[in-house]
Amino acid sequence: MNMASQKLAARKEAFARRAEAHKNTFVDISSAFFKVTQNHNVIAAYMPMRTEIDPLPAMHVLHEAGKTICIPVIIANDAPLVFCHWTPEMEMVKGAFGALIPAKQKRLTPDMVIAPLVAY
């Protein structure tokens, strides 16, 4: 089995484990987000997909606390991500891979990035 096949198999197994772990559990990460972001003003989070923990409640809390939130946007294959401003009330559209992105994009540079992991 080559490295690409091993990576694909490991990711598939990790996705299945994460889905099982979150199946009957609601995880509110708002207090954890608030604690780790206290010294940051522009925070990148993500729009949840598949079995990822949903950061939206925490993003709402941070927004209400005056933090600026941005989310990753894929501009093109093999291009770096850009981060665009997000607020709870803004219009969202489907982007690459089905993730929601702001309909009107204002690029920002985050000073903290919160990202989902499938395995570590």
Side-chain angles (χ1 to χ4, degrees):
M1 181 182 284
N2 66 24
M3 185 63 76
S5 297
Q6 288 176 331
K7 181 180 175 184
L8 186 62
R11 284 180 57 82
K12 185 176 179 180
E13 181 181 342
F15 275 123
R17 285 184 183 183
R18 184 171 69 182
E20 186 62 30
H22 297 167
K23 185 169 29 176
N24 297 314
T25 305
F26 170 75
V27 179
D28 184 357
I29 54 177
S30 299
S31 62
F33 267 36
F34 198 76
K35 189 180 289 186
V36 300
T37 61
Q38 284 181 330
N39 297 321
H40 302 280
N41 294 313
V42 181
I43 300 155
Y46 59 91
M47 300 307 288
M49 294 177 59
R50 298 183 295 268
T51 60
E52 295 169 348
I53 292 174
D54 185 353
L56 286 168
M59 291 163 65
H60 284 258
V61 168
L62 293 172
H63 173 75
E64 291 299 317
K67 302 291 184 177
T68 300
I69 310 298
C70 55
I71 58 172
V73 174
I74 298 170
I75 299 300
N77 286 342
D78 298 324
L81 290 173
V82 298
F83 293 90
C84 295
H85 188 231
W86 172 89
T87 64
E89 62 277 348
M90 72 177 22
E91 180 186 358
M92 303 292 282
V93 296
K94 276 194 176 185
F97 300 104
L100 293 175
I101 61 171
K104 294 181 181 175
Q105 299 177 2
K106 176 185 172 190
R107 291 185 184 185
L108 298 173
T109 300
D111 55 20
M112 179 178 200
V113 176
I114 298 169
L117 295 175
V118 76
Y120 177 74

